[in-house]
Amino acid sequence: MNAALMRTVRAGLVPHPNELDRKRIERGLSSRKRYLYVSPNVTPVRGGYLVESPCCSRNIDKDGALIDVALIHYDAVSGIWKLFRKNHARGIWEFYSLYHRLTSAIDELNADPERLFWQ
């Protein structure tokens, strides 16, 4: 049999995480409304991005250590961004909302009107 026919081809590319969108999120977080004096980290995770920040309020970690702020996942099937918040009391991620554009998810995370992300 022809060796070229036996080769397996990877079906579909995984669009996220990627360095371009990681940087977009990182830059976008500079216009947040809360805790402007800390520098959040944006780390690539499978299917999206993890946002962490030092806990300067000391509400979650009394020592001000790095805490989870948000999880941003991209659903490649629907083309929708999913934003999750961390429930620190229960130690789980909770679904927050859906967005058609990454910038809309970043805007919501920056505004944080209910103070669910930046605690």
Side-chain angles (χ1 to χ4, degrees), residues 90-101:
R90 295 180 59 201
I92 61 170
W93 288 104
E94 293 180 342
F95 172 75
Y96 180 76
S97 191
L98 299 172
Y99 303 91
H100 289 285
R101 299 180 55 213

Side-chain angles (χ1 to χ4, degrees), residues 4-22:
L5 294 175
M6 295 174 56
R7 185 179 58 197
T8 57
V9 177
R10 194 169 149 197
L13 296 175
V14 178
H16 297 282
N18 65 62
E19 188 61 16
L20 178 66
D21 285 323
R22 188 191 73 74

